[in-house]
Amino acid sequence: MTNTNNHSFSCEFFPPKTDKGRENIEATLIELKKLKPDYISCTYGAGGTTQDGTFDTIQQIMQHGLEAAPHITCIGSTKEKISGLLKQYKDAGVSRVVALRGDLPEGMEDPGELRFANELVEYIRSTTGDHFDIEVAAYPEKHPQSRNMQDELIQFARKAEAGANAAITQYFYNADAWVRFVEDCQRLNVTIPIIPGIMPITNYTQLARFSASCGTEIPRWITTRLEGYGDDLDSIRAFGFDVTLQLCEQLIDAGAPGLHFYSMNRAEPTVRLWNELNLG
Ligand code: FAD
């Protein structure tokens, strides 16, 4: 069995919008804490739509004695605003951030002062030195806006050069895409850890919608099965669990330096995978 001691295992939340959502996060945290994750990150809406929610969730995570990593986006923002945000997090005891460009919200046209994630990483490094561990995004199946895979790799390398410590990938279901991406990065002398982002499969309609917008391919053999289950949620979850577990095993065997679970604020799918994989 692979030794996973030096690996990074982490989870991701999004900021809840309701009191019920906040209670749910509390219950999820109680379960995830038992796994001793390296950190839990929380997303942030580009344009600042979830700014307060992200900060509150980060505090909630830290109250459980866990390391918390806020996501920060730069599109449509200003250096002053980002600087304020970094200070707020530093003062709160945060030492890790996930730095992203984000997507301009509909109706907003001004991209702001920092137009791409590499510029955000550069800005964080120039204003806060080595205080923060910086994670960035990686796209083994290509970001929808990149012209081709070569361009994807070049732009990814710029984020590493700007001072990123590691990367978390968009979720994918083809382990080969990650293996190839890492090999291509090594050829470009980009050696930061590239941690696969894992999206448990629990709801086919939602997954299909997300995947279409972020450019993730759901292999045909998986789609065919999931569609065939119709409204039978138990079968979708059982099959989804097997597929995701197999993907995680393939990735760890192929040398993945960790896994980052998109928890969707739910404990159960991540806890099951984590325990089955014997992580931690
Ligand atoms: P970039 O790395 O800047 O890349 C965006 C596009 O621009 C790519 O096509 C790239 O090739 C191109 N590009 C990059 N640099 C340059 C350059 N200098 N010149 C020309 N082209 C360039 N979104 C949110 O709103 N909030 C979140 O919390 C959030 N969390 C995420 C977490 C992870 C792990 C991932 C994978 C994605 C997340 N996203 C989030 C989505 C992300 O914001 C979008 O995918 C966004 O479109 C790109 O962000 P990026 O940081 O990857 O951008």
Side-chain angles (χ1 to χ4, degrees):
M1 194 183 154
T2 315
N3 180 344
T4 51
N5 283 346
N6 297 321
H7 290 49
S8 166
F9 297 112
S10 50
C11 309
E12 183 169 312
F13 284 173
F14 59 84
K17 291 200 177 106
T18 60
D19 286 343
K20 194 161 181 291
R22 273 180 282 279
E23 280 166 31
N24 174 47
I25 287 242
E26 195 56 27
T28 301
L29 273 169
I30 290 168
E31 293 308 310
L32 292 184
K33 188 179 171 176
K34 295 178 193 161
L35 307 177
K36 300 194 176 72
D38 285 277
Y39 66 90
I40 298 183
S41 77
C42 181
T43 63
Y44 177 82
T49 46
T50 63
Q51 181 175 340
D52 294 342
T54 303
F55 188 70
D56 292 347
T57 307
I58 288 297
Q59 284 190 310
Q60 202 177 349
I61 297 166
M62 291 173 84
Q63 276 157 13
H64 283 265
L66 291 163
E67 180 172 353
H71 295 205
I72 294 182
T73 58
C74 61
I75 195 105
S77 192
T78 61
K79 287 182 179 172
E80 192 185 355
K81 201 166 164 208
I82 290 167
S83 204
L85 205 52
L86 292 169
K87 182 176 179 326
Q88 189 185 24
Y89 283 127
K90 200 172 167 186
D91 291 347
V94 169
S95 57
R96 184 195 293 267
V97 293
V98 183
L100 303 138
R101 183 197 72 174
D103 295 304
L104 261 188
E106 225 163 282
M108 206 189 248
E109 278 174 16
D110 182 2
E113 291 178 89
L114 302 168
R115 294 163 314 135
F116 296 104
N118 68 305
E119 296 172 13
L120 175 62
V121 175
E122 244 168 57
Y123 183 70
I124 298 174
R125 282 282 172 250
S126 70
T127 53
T128 62
D130 285 337
H131 176 79
F132 292 106
D133 259 19
I134 305 177
E135 319 279 327
V136 290
Y139 301 86
E141 293 186 324
K142 194 180 88 59
H143 184 279
Q145 288 164 0
S146 300
R147 275 175 302 176
N148 51 44
M149 210 57 210
Q150 280 72 13
D151 207 35
E152 182 70 57
L153 288 157
I154 290 166
Q155 304 305 351
F156 177 67
R158 295 174 83 169
K159 296 195 269 195
E161 276 159 28
N165 298 91
I168 304 166
T169 74
Q170 184 57 274
Y171 69 90
F172 56 88
Y173 297 102
N174 296 299
D176 287 346
W178 176 84
V179 171
R180 187 71 202 198
F181 187 79
V182 171
E183 285 171 1
D184 286 345
C185 286
Q186 282 164 352
R187 272 191 277 276
L188 292 175
N189 287 324
V190 178
T191 54
I192 59 171
I194 300 170
I195 314 266
I198 303 296
M199 179 70 87
I201 300 174
T202 54
N203 175 322
Y204 176 58
T205 317
Q206 200 184 40
L207 183 75
R209 190 163 29 87
F210 268 10
S211 305
S213 68
C214 69
T216 292
E217 187 203 34
I218 311 178
R220 190 174 144 79
W221 68 273
I222 299 180
T223 309
T224 308
R225 294 272 189 140
L226 290 171
E227 280 176 353
Y229 293 130
D231 294 334
D232 178 358
L233 278 185
D234 286 346
S235 296
I236 291 176
R237 288 187 184 150
F239 173 72
F241 178 77
D242 285 349
V243 167
T244 321
L245 178 64
Q246 195 186 20
L247 174 70
C248 294
E249 285 169 343
Q250 284 172 345
L251 290 165
I252 291 173
D253 287 348
L259 298 170
H260 180 80
F261 293 91
Y262 294 107
S263 79
M264 306 305 283
N265 294 0
R266 295 182 54 218
E268 200 263 345
T270 301
V271 169
R272 267 192 80 197
L273 285 167
W274 198 290
N275 288 335
E276 194 70 31
L277 290 161
N278 208 9
L279 307 178

